[in-house]
Structure formats: C-alpha cells, structure tokens
Amino acid sequence: MIALLASAVATGYLPGALLFRLPILDRPRRAALDPAERAFWAIVISAMLTLSVSFCLAAFGHYRWRYVLSADLILAAVVAASGRRRLLYDGTARANAWVLAPAGLIALALWVFPQPSEYIIGGKDPGVYMNAGVQIAQRGSLVIHDAAVSSLPTQARDLFFPQHDGRPYYSNRFMGFFLFDPDSGLVIDQFPHLYPTAIAIGYGMAGLTGARYAATACAVVGVLALYFLGARLVGNAAGAAAAGLLAIHVVQVWHARIPNSEVLAQGLLLAGLLALARAHQDDDVFFAPVAGLLLGLLMFTRLDGVFAVGLASVGLALHWSVGGRVRIAFVATLTVALVLFAAYLLIWLAPYAQKPQVWVAVNWMPLTLVAVFALALLVVAGRLRHNERVTAGIRRWLPHAVTAIVVGLAAYAWFVRTAGGRLALHDAESLRMFGWYVHPAAIAAALAGLALVAPRVFWRDPGFFLVACGTAIFVFHRIRIVPEHFWATRRFVPVILPAVLLGIAMTLSSPLAPARLNADARAIRAARYILRLAVLALVAWGFWNVTARVRPHVEYAGVIPRLEALAARFTVQDLIVVESRSASDMHVLALPLAYIYNRTVLVLSSRKPDKAAWLAFLKWAWAHYRAVYFVGGVGTDVLSRDVAGTSAVSERFLVPQYDSPMNAYPERVRLKEFDFGVYRLVPRSPALPVIDIGEGDGLNVVRFHAAERDARGTYRWTRALSYLILIGVPADARQLVLWMDNGGRPASLQPAQVEAFFGDISLGRVVVGPGMRPYTLPIPAEVASAAASSPDAATVRLHTVTWRPRAVLGATDQRELGVMVSRVEIRRPP
C-alpha cells in the first residue's frame, strides 16, 4: 500500500505541482487561484505528462512502468533543483469555505462509485480497452507481435484467420483486434490508445485491480473538472451543485465502473476548456500550452475528439473576432498535436481511420467549400475585429442566437421529430431517450438555465458553450451508436451530461439580494433562492433513486477468479483452441486467456472446419505443444476418424450482467451463463465408442438440453431432434445401445417414441418406458462399413416425441422434453 501511494504521488501529483509553482509565465496569477484549484491543476498536469510519456514510449515499443515512474521522478527532481526556494508561493490566495468542496466531491464520488466491474472479457468495447491496456503494460507496445499467430503454418491460417479482401488488414485476431501481418503476428486493437495507456498505468501500479480502477479515477477527475469549470463560469455554488449531480447520476456511476474512453475524454475536455478560458479570457499565459496539450490528448482518446477540438477552436476564433487575444503557445501546441495525431491515425489506426477517410473522400467538395467559407469569415473578422460597433453587436446578439438555436432544436426534437424514411427510430427518439436518464422537467430546467444565464456569461467561456451545444446537436441529430443501453449512454458522458447538469445548476448563480434592497425585497429573493434549492434537491433525489438500483451491481462479478482458475489449468506449453463465435460466446473468454493470462489461444473461424486442414493442423500442433485442448460447448465438429477428445473438465457458472435492451431503458440484472467443457484432443484409440452423457460429452452431443445429475447419475434430455457424434465406429459394429428413460411422462400423453437414424438410414423405433435401461438398435453391415471408411465422425440422429411440463402439469419447466439419455455404446456382434 505504501508503494502504491508513493507511486501515485510520484506520477499523479508531484511533477504537476512543481511545474505549476515554477516562477515563470506570470506565476502570481496562478498563485491567486483557489488552493483547491491549484491542487487540481497539479493532478491534471501530472496525469497529462504521465499519459504523454507513457503513450510515446508505447508507440515506439519501449513502454515500461519503471521507465514512466523514473521519468516523472527525474522531471520533479530537475524542476525542484532549478526552482529551489523560488518554488514557494508569495502572496497566495486566501482559502475560504469552498476550498472544502472538492474534497467533499471526491468523498461523494468514491462512495457512490463502488467496486469497478470485472469486465475483462471480450466481445464488446470495454473488453477490448481492458485487454489492450494490459497488453501495453505486459508487452510495452501499442502493437502486439503475437507468437501464436506467427508460428502457425501457412496452410492452417484459414482455420482461424480467414483473409478479409478489400480491408486494410488481413483478418481478425479477436473481436476488436486486427491482424495485419500473419507472418510477423502483427496485431493492433481497434480503438485509439490513450485510454488503454491509462489502463496500463493502473496495471503498473496495482496489477489487474489498478487497471480496473482506471475508469473510476478518470470519472473522479471529470467530476472535479466540472466543479472548477462551473465555479469559474457561474460561481462556486452552481459548480458544486453540477458536480454533485454528476457524481450521483446513473450514467456517470455506470461508466465510472466499466472500461470506456468517454470518462477519460470527459476529464480531458472539461479541464482543457477550463485551461483555454484561463489562458484567453483570464489572460493567464501558463495555461495556453496546458490547454493545447489537453485538447490534443483528447484526439488520441476518441476520434470524435477532433470535432470537440474544432468547436473549441471556433469559440477561440469568436473571442479573437471581438478583439480578444489568441495565445501563440496554445496554437503551436495544438498544431503539433494535430500533426502527430494525423500520423498516428494513418499509421497505427489505419482500419479505424478507413471510414473517416472514405467520408472525407466522398464529401471533399462540401468540406472544401466549408473551409473556404471559414477562411473568408476569418479574413472578414480580422478586418472588423477593431470595429467597436460590430464587435459590440456580436457580443450582444450571438449568445441569444446560440440559445435560441439550441432551445428551438430541442423543442423540435422533443415534440415534432418522428422516425420515417431514412431516419431511424433511435435517431428520431435520441433526445427523448436522453429523457430516460435526465427527467424531461430537468432538461427543461437546463434549457431555462441556459436561456437565463448564458447571455450574461457566454463570453467568459465561449468555447464551453459552443462545444456543449455543438456536440449535443451532432449527437442528438444521429446518436451514431447501436441503441443498446447502457452502452448508448456513452455518447452523453464527455460533455452533454455535464453541460445539462451545469445548466440545471445555473439557477443558483443569481446572487442573494444586495444590501441596498429593503427587508421585504431581500426576503422575496431569498425565498426564490430557497425554492431553487428545493427544485435542485428534487432533481438530486430523482437521480439518486435511479442510481441506488444500479450502485450495488458489479458487472460480471466473479468472472476474474473463474478465468484465473481456467488459465491455471493450462501451461504456456499448451495450445488452447476455442470454438468459433458462430457456435457460442466462448470467444469472449479466449481474449483474456491470451492477452491477460498469456496462454496460447486460437479461435476457430467456423464450427465446421475443413477436415483435411484441421487434421494437418492437429498433427503439427501435437508435435509442437505439450498438449492441445479444445474449449467449447456443443455443436463444433472437431472430431473425426483420426481425432478423439478426452474430457478434462466441465464448467458452468453464471455472472451478473445488467439488462441491455434495444431502444428501451434497462431495468434489471440478468445472469450470463457460461457452460462449456475443456477437452484434450488426442489421436483416436481403437476402442469402441462409449459416451457417458453429461460427463465430458460436449463434443459428442448436439441439440440436447443441459446436463443434469440426480441419484441415477448424469443425463441429458433430448429435444424433438437431437444428434450424437460417434468417433471410431468399426466396420464390424452391429449394435447401437442407448440407455434411456421416459422421465415420468404422464400416461395420458403420446408414448415416448424414439426413432434413431445412422446417417440417413433408420435403425428403427423404440418406445421408452420408465426407468433407465438399455435399448438396442441394429446397425446394418453396409452402414457400419461406410462409417468406418469415412474420415468424418458418424452422426446418429434421434427423433423424439416431446412434451412440455408447463403446458401439461402447470410446472415451471417450459422446455420441450423428449427422453432422458445417460449412456451410448457401439457394440460388435454378441
């Protein structure tokens, strides 16, 4: 714990605190800031530098946690040695009661954001982020040179990595991980890497636990950034109220506990906008490069960060057009960041950049016209910026115009906009969908706060207003994400939700009655203020009622120890083959097995791999690995005349997963089931086929119900149509023996008749009675000979007359049940 705290201080506070204290760039202005804000900037600057150093090291394949820690300590030592006693503040701002507000917000956030999720599995974006971050920590690079891929024989590649023609990468290694070059095993994940870099830093501090808390740390910084941004813009009370509402809002709480880049984007964007205002509206030159770097890093977090940076730049251009000053340090820093981002996008993120490149190519003419128009506006603004009459008109009417546009579009989206034609339902309903998370009355209050307060404070931070309003228009015009909740709410995290909550809190920005008013007037204004506090309390109460239902939930709780136990069953000398995505969800466990627990894992691309290529691959694998295992459920055709599977272990566990409906609000916790077996693939022995149903039979049964156990042993229920996969049927086989039981079928129903087909040949019908006993069916000689000569496994098809306990007995069992099967044997003539 001491080492963790020391490393957190060394990388998350010390460098920024010392740089902030350097007696350069008009330090008295910084010294005059609130002590809490000075501490906030120490944290933000330190995190910004640590992220930048880590990202650069990883980009060139040299990331190591000890290198980052050393770089921060060396920087701190150099600054301390150069500044020495001059680092002491002289004439700092006097603290007031509001200095305690950030500490209270941190305590609130840490109380509301309990244990983070165990979302390390693949399949969706959070798992991609987590595994990409751990890979940076373990391998030290943004790109992965995967030995499991590069060592694979060329002729076996299509079994696992079918080539994608017409795409800027060869195939998929896992969902969200692109395989560029199978010869070198070059793999890169799908998304920008700054958030995975934050995960890598957390992993360096505290292993997988630290990696999971990366989102929580980012969310806390976002809450603080909103407080300081709101306090500067409309006062401490409004800032604290907005930040408090954000801390308890269900969207913030959810994303504070699940891997996502939006929470990092939130902190970078809000802090960057605050720094931009400090540099230009408050004329503090120190914050110019800070703002440039924060907004520059935003682009390395999310591609749509370019849009936010563009809107912030428009706000700065407006500030310049009415006579304000633009800091060259900001422009230079942001320009360098843009150039580096363009190189990063084209080199490291080629697949991710494909759609934006196509969009730019298709829309190059409108984009050119927009660029020419913007340049012309800048030229005109440059000519008129010293015209006091024009600038006064812009200052007076632009805030009202922005407010009118936003309120008008909100009214249209809420009351008029409907789906139809090319407008999808979730796009048409996007603002109303936001109303599931922020009550419509609260949205109206936010718009009212904007209309009342924005004209008065717009020019204190035009960048914030333009970024918030422009992003809201962009998102609510097209939600641009699968409407699967809570996943869809990510779009609200960086700025829309904070801005709406700040709009609600703006009602607190009006001061109490000045002293010159009489007692009655002051009493009336105080009553109005109390009423506003009551409305704010009602909003907070509504938020908390929703959040309280989600707060105890930990997404995928328990999956980490399950994966650790599964990984412990294998060594680094073993090869693990996982069934394909078309067969089950087992591929979501394959990703962390490979990229967190460092096991050699391949995922089949098909549930029916080519037999010849599969056998050739297995012969190669048996020669190169200690053992070859298959992990999966039922329905994957991996057995043949030459390949058998011996059961190593059967697993079944449930993990909590919150409801995630399409175009609907999530209401409850569901359970995600993992039911699979681990089988060792070996060359087939000459023994006759025998299957103990329910015990390691996953490779031999298809379309049976889940295995069950009672006093009679293990068994499975058949469905109307079920299959048995038999390996090694000899040419002299003459009997198929099935141990079956009708399972207590009511006498009033049709008898439990079962017809067995060997391939396309019917072996006969039997009526299954009560009690588990053998039923013998003859196998024709020509059928056995054909099965023995075929390289494929033999398939026995069972047609059963079924019934439903729910419909007949009123029981809770809704399954379609045939008969209970406990054992299958192939026998030679007696």
Side-chain angles (χ1 to χ4, degrees):
M1 179 61 71
I2 295 176
L4 174 62
L5 291 175
S7 60
V9 171
T11 58
Y13 180 78
L14 194 59
L18 293 174
L19 284 172
F20 198 79
R21 287 172 171 266
L22 274 178
I24 59 173
L25 302 177
D26 199 6
R27 188 179 69 174
R29 283 185 178 273
R30 304 197 296 281
L33 292 176
D34 181 272
E37 185 174 347
R38 296 201 301 263
F40 168 76
W41 283 117
I43 294 170
V44 168
I45 294 171
S46 295
M48 178 178 68
L49 294 174
T50 301
L51 280 170
S52 300
V53 170
S54 301
F55 186 88
C56 291
L57 288 173
F60 293 99
H62 297 294
Y63 172 85
R64 299 291 185 275
W65 168 241
R66 62 181 183 274
Y67 295 171
V68 176
L69 187 60
S70 299
D72 282 335
L73 289 174
I74 291 171
L75 175 62
V78 170
V79 174
S82 62
R84 290 177 290 186
R85 293 183 59 85
R86 292 179 299 165
L87 295 176
L88 298 175
Y89 284 128
D90 183 21
T92 58
R94 183 175 299 175
N96 55 36
W98 286 109
V99 77
L100 299 176
L105 289 169
I106 293 173
L108 173 64
L110 294 178
W111 177 68
V112 177
F113 307 158
Q115 182 182 358
S117 73
E118 296 188 23
Y119 207 142
I120 66 171
I121 63 176
K124 290 186 179 180
D125 298 5
V128 174
Y129 283 123
M130 181 62 72
N131 283 269
V134 173
Q135 277 301 285
I136 293 173
Q138 292 180 350
R139 304 193 186 207
S141 177
L142 299 184
V143 300
I144 302 166
H145 293 280
D146 196 323
V149 176
S150 59
S151 63
L152 200 65
T154 304
Q155 61 272 20
R157 288 174 183 167
D158 283 346
L159 291 170
F160 310 100
F161 316 116
Q163 189 169 358
H164 296 323
D165 295 328
R167 299 187 183 181
Y169 54 92
Y170 182 88
S171 186
N172 292 93
R173 176 66 170 101
F174 299 103
M175 284 187 68
F177 286 83
F178 299 126
L179 172 61
F180 277 82
D181 181 11
D183 293 325
S184 64
L186 180 63
V187 176
I188 193 165
D189 65 282
Q190 179 179 353
F191 302 114
H193 290 88
L194 196 67
Y195 179 67
T197 301
I199 291 175
I201 293 170
Y203 189 88
M205 286 185 176
L208 198 54
T209 299
R212 291 164 52 216
Y213 272 98
T216 305
C218 293
V220 172
V221 172
V223 170
L224 292 177
L226 181 61
Y227 165 69
F228 289 111
L229 184 94
R232 180 196 167 275
L233 189 64
V234 286
N236 293 100
L245 291 176
L246 181 63
I248 65 171
H249 194 276
V250 65
V251 171
Q252 185 78 0
V253 172
W254 179 263
H255 290 92
R257 301 182 299 159
I258 197 166
N260 66 100
S261 61
E262 281 79 5
V263 286
L264 177 58
Q266 182 187 78
L268 290 173
L269 179 55
L270 296 180
L273 292 174
L274 177 58
L276 189 67
R278 290 285 186 205
H280 294 92
Q281 277 73 40
D282 297 347
D283 203 28
D284 191 333
V285 65
F286 175 84
F287 286 101
V290 173
L293 188 52
L294 285 170
L295 295 179
L297 289 176
L298 179 65
M299 297 182 293
F300 292 87
T301 305
R302 296 192 52 78
L303 188 60
D304 52 17
V306 176
F307 181 68
V309 170
L311 291 172
S313 300
V314 171
L316 185 59
L318 286 175
H319 167 73
W320 174 77
S321 69
V322 295
R325 179 180 179 182
V326 174
R327 295 286 182 181
I328 298 300
F330 169 78
V331 176
T333 306
L334 187 59
T335 300
V336 172
L338 281 167
V339 172
L340 294 176
F341 175 71
Y344 167 71
L345 190 64
L346 296 176
I347 297 173
W348 280 271
L349 288 186
Y352 196 62
Q354 185 182 28
K355 285 187 177 180
Q357 287 176 319
V358 171
W359 184 82
V360 170
V362 171
N363 296 280
W364 69 272
M365 179 59 75
L367 290 174
T368 302
L369 293 176
V370 169
V372 171
F373 181 70
L375 183 61
L377 281 180
L378 283 176
V379 171
V380 172
R383 298 292 298 270
L384 299 177
R385 64 190 299 264
H386 298 296
N387 187 317
E388 294 184 2
R389 183 177 178 182
V390 172
T391 57
I394 294 173
R395 283 185 171 276
R396 180 179 179 182
W397 293 110
L398 184 62
H400 294 284
V402 171
T403 301
I405 290 171
V406 172
V407 172
L409 288 175
Y412 164 76
W414 191 272
F415 297 107
V416 178
R417 199 178 191 212
T418 56
R422 298 178 62 183
L423 184 60
L425 174 65
H426 58 272
D427 290 331
E429 297 286 329
S430 56
L431 183 61
R432 301 183 192 101
M433 183 188 73
F434 184 61
W436 300 341
Y437 302 97
V438 178
H439 193 276
I443 296 176
L447 292 171
L450 175 70
L452 292 172
V453 179
R456 177 165 55 87
V457 300
F458 179 89
W459 293 105
R460 295 203 68 199
D461 194 349
F464 167 73
F465 285 100
L466 289 180
V467 170
C469 297
T471 303
I473 292 171
F474 176 78
V475 169
F476 290 129
H477 172 63
R478 290 285 191 274
I479 197 67
R480 299 181 186 276
I481 191 172
V482 177
E484 186 178 343
H485 302 272
F486 284 103
W487 192 29
T489 63
R490 297 182 308 157
R491 286 291 185 261
F492 309 142
V493 171
V495 71
I496 293 176
L497 179 63
V500 168
L501 300 183
L502 185 56
I504 296 171
M506 280 181 181
T507 57
L508 299 178
S509 64
S510 298
L512 290 173
R516 67 175 179 271
L517 295 180
N518 60 38
D520 290 340
R522 288 199 301 271
I524 291 172
R525 297 196 65 177
R528 290 176 180 172
Y529 200 76
I530 292 172
L531 179 61
R532 293 168 180 170
L533 287 174
V535 171
L536 195 66
L538 286 174
V539 172
W541 179 74
F543 287 174
W544 178 249
N545 278 342
V546 176
T547 298
R549 295 197 292 268
V550 173
R551 183 175 175 269
H553 172 72
V554 178
E555 191 80 341
Y556 298 134
V559 79
I560 289 178
R562 292 285 189 173
L563 272 168
E564 290 175 345
L566 180 61
R569 296 183 180 276
F570 311 108
T571 70
V572 292
Q573 289 82 34
D574 295 331
L575 174 63
I576 307 162
V577 178
V578 177
E579 67 183 356
S580 72
R581 288 170 51 191
S582 62
S584 74
D585 281 343
M586 287 309 302
H587 67 97
V588 306
L589 303 185
L591 176 60
L593 281 176
Y595 284 172
I596 291 180
Y597 297 104
N598 294 316
R599 299 299 185 262
T600 306
V601 182
L602 297 171
V603 179
L604 284 168
S605 63
S606 170
R607 63 193 307 167
K608 291 185 176 295
D610 179 82
K611 288 294 184 181
W614 175 240
L615 180 59
F617 162 75
L618 285 177
K619 289 180 177 179
W620 170 86
W622 286 328
H624 287 79
Y625 292 94
R626 184 187 69 89
V628 179
Y629 291 93
F630 176 79
V631 177
V634 298
T636 301
D637 188 10
V638 296
L639 304 182
S640 68
R641 180 182 62 187
D642 303 295
V643 182
T646 61
S647 176
V649 66
S650 294
E651 291 277 358
R652 182 178 182 273
F653 59 88
L654 303 171
V655 293
Q657 179 186 43
Y658 214 87
D659 191 24
S660 188
M662 299 286 285
N663 286 316
Y665 185 81
E667 295 285 357
R668 60 190 176 89
V669 177
R670 297 186 293 115
L671 293 175
K672 182 176 181 64
E673 180 182 19
F674 291 97
D675 186 2
F676 61 94
V678 179
Y679 308 89
R680 184 167 180 174
L681 299 180
V682 296
R684 187 186 66 81
S685 68
L688 289 173
V690 177
I691 306 172
D692 287 322
I693 301 296
E695 290 283 354
D697 62 339
L699 299 181
N700 300 96
V701 296
V702 179
R703 289 191 56 78
F704 280 74
H705 287 292
E708 299 180 46
R709 180 187 295 273
D710 60 17
R712 294 165 290 191
T714 59
Y715 60 89
R716 291 180 188 264
W717 285 93
T718 63
R719 301 175 189 262
L721 180 61
S722 300
Y723 299 86
L724 294 167
I725 310 300
L726 304 179
I727 307 300
V729 176
D732 58 349
R734 291 298 179 267
Q735 294 178 342
L736 170 67
V737 184
L738 303 169
W739 272 257
M740 296 185 290
D741 183 344
N742 71 4
R745 179 185 296 227
S748 60
L749 297 179
Q750 187 176 350
Q753 181 175 275
V754 177
E755 183 174 9
F757 288 80
F758 203 118
D760 295 326
I761 306 300
S762 174
L763 303 184
R765 299 177 182 176
V766 296
V767 175
V768 180
M772 190 67 70
R773 62 176 184 264
Y775 294 82
T776 302
L777 295 166
I779 301 176
E782 62 274 16
V783 172
S785 297
S789 62
S790 172
D792 297 330
T795 300
V796 172
R797 190 168 75 251
L798 302 179
H799 291 258
T800 311
V801 175
T802 61
W803 67 293
R804 293 182 183 274
R806 176 72 175 270
V808 177
L809 303 176
T812 58
D813 192 344
Q814 302 186 53
R815 295 178 298 172
E816 177 191 75
L817 299 180
V819 297
M820 299 160 60
V821 183
S822 68
R823 184 177 173 86
V824 179
E825 285 188 19
I826 292 291
R827 292 179 178 175
R828 291 186 171 92

